Amino acid sequence: MVFGESHGPAVAVVVDGCPAGLQLTTDDIQFELERRMPPDPNLTSARREKDEVLILSGVFEGYTTGAPVALLAWNKDVRSQDYDKLKFVARPGHADYPTRIKFGGFNDLRGGGRASGRMTVPITMAGAIAKKLLRTLGVEVFAHTVQIHTIKVERQLPSETIKRNAYSNSVRCADPENAEEMKEAIMKIRSEGDSFGGVVECIAEGMPPGVGEPFFDSLDADLAKVAFSIPAVKGFEVGLGFQASAVKGSENNDSYTVRKGRIETLTNNAGGILGGLSNGMPIVVRVAFKPPSSIPKKQKTVNLKEMQDTTVQVTGRHDPCIVPKAVPVVEAAVAIVLIDHCLRAGKIPRVLGKKPVDEISEGSKLQQPH
């Protein structure tokens, strides 16, 4: 469960069902949070939260206890006055209008409230735990930017190249030439008072076959559901995705082979998922993000109080493109789904190892009656 709002005191997450015995520190969470913010300030919002994680529960003496893990990050760099004039103005592209209708006007409109990209912080924190648990199974999750506006990475990059290059630049693109072109495009569109969207590709290597819960809890169905829970996501595909509709069956089918005593496929058009189950090949998904809706260009809208047409120019601190920030968030979302399914499949025990008695602190030992 995630909670908090963009301009509230904090954003946080409660992770239930985490096995006991996972070594976990604030550094594990902080590492993922810091990957969320690209280093180049010209490509992001001027709001630069430190996002220092606080572990509230579920961890004792450096290990998870089996109780719910609660993680929190304070909101310190807020400027809520930017939203005073927008109280009754529905910003185009934002959830202001439907949210006002659903909650009768009681919703927190500052920064979009709960519909803000700020809510990707709790997803990222939960994903840090999920990724560490997955590593105990030998599963690695990594992502990169494959498209900004019309600029696409056309060639298929090796996994090692993606892992090495994706976080070496502020747009999180593993192809250096495309990365520079994407950066220039974002800076140009920002100067024009507009914004761009794009696509993030995420890969999970090492997933065991047969994981998933068809019919309605299929692995790809759950991945899509969580992906669409990320603010600004408008598209999702697995493997060849929409392109599968434009090829022949003989081209789309992944032929099987045996390599080193293991069943694999010669291609991976299915993206590692068949019939809602993992097939042992790398899971490959792509997530499409719309352009950020907060732009300084004048747009047509309505005044919800007066029920009259009007115009709006959104001021304040906003991203010209959220895709670079979204790369670790997509990693987190995918990891959360994969670890949930691995737990359901019994791939991970509820207690990881056994803590030796001599490691238990004196204060935690049971006290004997006098």
Side-chain angles (χ1 to χ4, degrees):
M1 179 183 71
V2 301
F3 62 95
E5 292 85 21
S6 179
H7 285 226
V11 289
V13 62
V14 177
V15 180
D16 202 2
C18 179
L22 177 69
Q23 195 167 13
L24 189 69
T25 67
T26 55
D27 288 343
D28 295 317
I29 316 297
Q30 200 64 46
F31 173 77
E32 296 294 339
L33 282 178
E34 290 175 3
R35 294 168 85 228
R36 181 179 160 274
M37 185 62 72
D40 190 342
N42 294 316
L43 302 182
T44 62
S45 162
R47 181 178 179 180
R48 309 286 290 189
E49 295 281 3
K50 291 185 177 180
D51 290 334
E52 296 174 340
V53 65
L54 179 63
I55 300 177
L56 300 179
S57 69
V59 178
F60 178 62
E61 295 185 337
Y63 291 88
T64 54
T65 64
V69 181
L71 308 169
L72 177 145
W74 297 107
N75 290 330
K76 296 181 178 180
D77 187 19
V78 297
R79 205 165 72 189
S80 300
Q81 64 269 22
D82 291 338
Y83 296 89
D84 291 344
K85 63 181 181 180
L86 299 172
K87 188 173 183 179
F88 300 109
V89 177
R91 295 172 297 166
H94 280 282
D96 299 347
Y97 172 62
T99 302
R100 181 179 178 85
I101 297 299
K102 180 173 177 63
F103 298 108
F106 289 103
N107 56 293
D108 184 347
L109 60 88
R110 301 168 302 170
R114 200 162 188 248
S116 168
R118 186 81 187 125
M119 299 310 296
T120 60
V121 171
I123 296 173
T124 305
M125 292 193 292
I129 301 176
K131 290 174 77 173
K132 190 158 191 180
L133 276 169
L134 285 170
R135 284 195 289 271
T136 68
L137 279 178
V139 179
E140 188 174 9
V141 180
F142 52 96
H144 62 132
T145 300
V146 294
Q147 182 175 342
I148 297 292
H149 192 46
T150 59
I151 304 168
K152 298 180 181 180
V153 177
E154 299 289 357
R155 62 193 179 102
Q156 188 170 353
L157 300 172
S159 296
E160 292 307 314
T161 299
I162 296 170
K163 287 184 275 190
R164 182 178 64 251
N165 291 351
Y167 286 86
S168 66
N169 56 76
S170 288
V171 292
R172 277 63 190 278
C173 176
D175 186 307
E177 291 184 10
N178 285 129
E180 189 59 32
E181 190 178 357
M182 289 174 178
K183 177 181 176 180
E184 292 175 2
I186 293 173
M187 294 179 68
K188 185 175 186 297
I189 201 66
R190 181 174 208 164
S191 68
E192 296 172 2
D194 219 324
S195 60
F196 277 154
V199 179
V200 173
E201 180 179 76
C202 188
I203 303 164
E205 293 183 333
M207 271 295 288
V211 175
E213 301 292 334
F215 193 80
F216 294 107
D217 291 338
S218 295
L219 191 58
D220 41 2
D222 279 355
L223 284 167
K225 180 178 180 180
V226 174
F228 278 112
S229 298
I230 302 172
V233 168
K234 285 296 182 182
F236 177 85
E237 63 180 11
V238 182
L240 202 56
F242 281 90
Q243 291 184 45
S245 65
V247 299
K248 301 173 185 177
S250 57
E251 297 170 319
N252 182 65
N253 291 343
D254 298 312
S255 298
Y256 287 104
T257 187
V258 177
R259 287 178 180 157
K260 298 179 180 180
R262 181 174 178 267
I263 295 176
E264 296 182 355
T265 57
L266 296 176
T267 53
N268 192 25
N269 293 327
I273 302 175
L274 288 169
L277 300 166
S278 59
N279 67 2
M281 294 298 288
I283 290 174
V284 182
V285 303
R286 281 172 293 279
V287 182
F289 289 83
K290 69 176 183 177
S293 302
S294 292
I295 55 176
K297 282 195 170 185
K298 185 177 288 188
Q299 301 173 86
K300 293 180 179 180
T301 187
V302 295
N303 184 302
L304 299 173
K305 184 178 181 180
E306 300 173 359
M307 291 298 290
Q308 291 182 347
D309 290 343
T310 185
T311 60
V312 63
Q313 283 182 288
V314 179
T315 58
R317 303 169 297 173
H318 306 288
D319 294 282
C321 180
I322 62 169
V323 175
K325 281 184 179 179
V327 172
V329 180
V330 173
E331 291 179 8
V334 168
I336 289 167
V337 174
L338 297 184
I339 197 61
D340 277 355
H341 276 275
C342 285
L343 286 165
R344 292 177 71 173
K347 301 295 183 181
I348 294 181
R350 290 295 175 179
V351 178
L352 303 174
K354 186 176 182 181
K355 193 174 184 182
V357 174
D358 58 6
E359 289 186 12
I360 301 177
S361 68
E362 290 298 321
S364 65
K365 288 181 180 179
L366 291 175
Q367 298 297 313
Q368 299 295 323
H370 294 293

